[in-house]
Amino acid sequence: MRKVFILLLAALLIGALLSLGLQYDSGYIRISLGNYLIETNFWIGVLLILVITLVIQMILVTARRLRSGSGLVSTWLNQSAERRARRRTTQGLLALAEGNWPRGRKLLEASAGKADTPLINYLAAAQCAFECDDHDAVDDLLRKAFESTPGSDLAVGITQAQLQIAGQRYEQALATLIRLRKQAPHHPFVLKLLRTVYEALEDWKELSSLIPELRKRDLADAEELQTLERKAWHNLLHRAADDIRRQSPGARDLSPLIQLWDELPGSMRRDEFTIHEYARNLALLGDEAQAETLLRKVLRNHWSDELVNLYGRIEGEKPDEQLLAAERWLQDRPNNPELLLALGRLSLRNELWGKAREYFETSLRLKRNTETIAELARLNAHMGHEEESNQMLLQSMLKDSGLPNLPMPKA
């Protein structure tokens, strides 16, 4: 209130002074410019000078505001550019979804500078460039995406890895993902992408090391992870066995295979399929005794038809004790066809021909099995029952051939 009073008082004083000045002496102002002569009342001239000064001042202030971007015109221009960028971004994303890669890339890249989220524009434009097989442009757009938004290195890196995997550039994808894992060691999607790359590169060692982390983070179904883990370790076992097989037969060192078995996690050392692969490779490399010992220990506590079938194929150091061990299992499983087949084979190793034939026939009555038929037919042939052996093989072949039941001439 006090300020308003002071302003009013000042205005009255100025008005009074101007009134006195006009009454005292009007005077005049003359301005000569070339052939032009301008004359006016003194006070009107003063008023014109003040008006011109105010106009110039307003022009300067307006220009300064436009230059600083804070003026109304500048604001309007910026808002118009942003609306146009949003519209082009939407059109670009629609083109990307429709598969129009060149148009999508053009719209998204052109509008990125004024877009609300330039990171999204550049990443989507990189996807378009990838679909156009322009890998140099992909790298350039990803670089722009990284520079456009601070703290976007993880998002850009994941997009880059995905595009590299999609383009089957697995070595580059691996380098990208290893860098990302250093930044975010437990990032779920980085771990999933690493799994994909290790499988594609058949890097079973690194994959086997990654699986416990995948299981801990619950990044896949338990059964799926078990199958994947089994696949990784089986391939490592096969690779170790192949390396040993390439050595000279008389100087083969099985320690790498045995050491690998010791490195297996407990779940795999109890897995019947993994035990089967390890024992089978041991037997093929000449250490049937160790394979037989392992299988006997496992079968004593954990039964498996697959393992007992392999047990019947392996020759231990003492075939008689091997047969006795299998016959003890028969007390608990008298009607197991796989065990009876294995007992027939172990009886053959002990040259117990009649017992072997009995085991084979009992197994065949319980389950029709090609292996059992072949073993029995071979044994009959060597025992002098060639006609019976041939008849058995013929019937087996005809029954398994899928031939239709047709009339045949009598013998």
Side-chain angles (χ1 to χ4, degrees):
M1 189 68 183
R2 190 174 180 181
K3 290 181 180 179
V4 174
F5 176 75
I6 293 172
L7 287 173
L8 289 172
L9 183 61
L12 288 171
L13 287 172
I14 292 171
L17 290 172
L18 286 174
S19 176
L20 289 173
L22 287 171
Q23 292 176 4
Y24 175 72
D25 185 6
S26 60
Y28 70 92
I29 294 175
R30 175 182 291 179
I31 299 173
S32 177
L33 185 63
N35 296 325
Y36 297 97
L37 180 65
I38 301 172
E39 287 187 4
T40 182
N41 183 282
F42 174 77
W43 294 108
I44 293 175
V46 171
L47 182 62
L48 286 173
I49 292 171
L50 289 174
V51 169
I52 291 170
T53 303
L54 288 173
V55 169
I56 293 172
Q57 183 68 22
M58 288 177 65
I59 291 172
L60 291 174
V61 170
T62 302
R64 194 179 302 115
R65 287 185 176 181
L66 286 174
R67 196 182 306 116
S68 63
S70 61
L72 292 175
V73 176
S74 177
T75 302
W76 179 82
L77 290 174
N78 284 335
Q79 289 176 348
S80 177
E82 289 173 2
R83 285 194 298 269
R84 189 163 53 251
R86 282 195 290 269
R87 186 171 63 253
R88 287 183 176 179
T89 298
T90 302
Q91 293 172 347
L93 292 173
L94 285 173
L96 170 62
E98 293 168 358
N100 191 346
W101 319 123
R103 173 176 167 78
R105 174 188 167 187
K106 181 180 178 181
L107 289 168
L108 289 164
E109 188 174 4
S111 58
K114 291 291 184 180
D116 297 328
T117 54
L119 176 66
I120 302 300
N121 284 59
Y122 284 124
L123 293 181
Q127 175 71 40
C128 292
F130 169 78
E131 297 295 347
C132 295
D133 292 326
D134 192 347
H135 296 295
D136 291 335
V138 170
D139 295 337
D140 182 57
L141 288 165
L142 290 174
R143 178 184 57 78
K144 289 180 178 178
F146 173 75
E147 293 172 352
S148 71
T149 309
S152 63
D153 48 344
L154 189 60
V156 173
I158 288 175
T159 302
Q160 184 178 30
Q162 285 180 288
L163 295 178
Q164 288 167 338
I165 292 170
Q168 298 184 356
R169 300 158 69 189
Y170 297 117
E171 295 288 352
Q172 293 173 309
L174 179 60
T176 302
L177 290 169
I178 288 175
R179 174 175 57 81
L180 292 177
R181 196 180 183 192
K182 289 180 180 177
Q183 297 177 18
H186 308 301
H187 193 284
F189 198 51
V190 172
L191 296 176
K192 284 185 175 182
L193 292 176
L194 269 173
R195 168 194 167 175
T196 301
V197 171
Y198 285 143
E199 279 193 88
L201 294 173
E202 296 185 352
D203 192 342
W204 309 117
K205 188 64 177 177
E206 289 298 331
L207 181 59
S208 65
S209 301
L210 181 67
I211 288 171
E213 184 75 9
L214 296 175
R215 184 176 284 118
K216 181 179 179 181
R217 305 291 164 189
D218 198 20
L219 297 179
D221 181 76
E223 187 175 348
E224 179 186 352
L225 284 177
Q226 185 180 16
T227 302
L228 182 65
E229 188 171 32
R230 184 184 295 139
K231 178 182 178 181
W233 285 108
H234 285 196
N235 277 284
L236 288 171
L237 290 170
H238 294 161
R239 188 173 294 173
D242 288 341
D243 290 342
I244 296 170
R245 202 170 285 113
R246 282 191 285 270
Q247 298 174 8
S248 301
R252 284 179 175 171
D253 179 16
L254 271 64
S255 58
L257 182 63
I258 297 170
Q259 183 179 354
L260 184 62
W261 170 257
D262 293 335
E263 293 175 5
L264 260 68
S267 59
M268 286 294 99
R269 288 167 63 91
R270 294 187 297 271
D271 178 64
E272 64 174 281
F273 300 102
T274 307
I275 295 168
H276 184 282
E277 287 304 303
Y278 176 61
R280 187 178 67 85
N281 280 299
L282 278 178
L284 289 173
L285 292 171
D287 197 347
E288 291 190 75
Q290 186 171 346
E292 186 272 329
T293 302
L294 171 65
L295 291 174
R296 189 191 300 188
K297 289 180 179 178
V298 172
L299 287 167
R300 190 182 302 152
N301 301 309
H302 304 283
W303 186 258
S304 165
D305 286 352
E306 288 288 330
L307 294 183
V308 81
N309 183 288
L310 180 61
Y311 188 75
R313 292 170 173 269
I314 290 175
E315 181 178 3
E317 288 184 337
K318 298 178 179 180
D320 55 337
E321 292 185 6
Q322 189 177 354
L323 175 60
L324 288 173
E327 286 179 332
R328 283 195 292 270
W329 300 333
L330 187 63
Q331 296 174 9
D332 297 326
R333 300 169 181 83
N335 296 319
N336 188 296
E338 290 295 338
L339 177 54
L340 290 164
L341 172 60
L343 283 166
R345 286 169 168 162
L346 294 175
S347 298
L348 290 178
R349 290 197 185 280
N350 286 276
E351 300 184 1
L352 302 173
W353 320 124
K355 179 180 282 192
R357 182 177 181 182
E358 184 179 346
Y359 280 135
F360 288 144
E361 289 175 344
T362 307
S363 175
L364 194 57
R365 282 196 297 270
L366 293 169
K367 180 183 178 182
R368 182 178 176 79
N369 185 301
T370 305
E371 279 189 51
T372 310
I373 292 171
E375 288 287 12
L376 184 56
R378 180 171 64 171
L379 178 59
N380 282 332
H382 282 80
M383 292 179 69
H385 307 296
E386 294 184 5
E387 184 176 350
E388 185 178 350
S389 174
N390 293 335
Q391 187 69 19
M392 181 179 296
L393 290 174
L394 177 61
Q395 289 176 355
S396 174
M397 184 177 64
L398 291 174
K399 190 166 185 178
D400 296 337
S401 65
L403 295 177
N405 189 14
L406 299 173
M408 290 288 151
K410 294 181 180 179

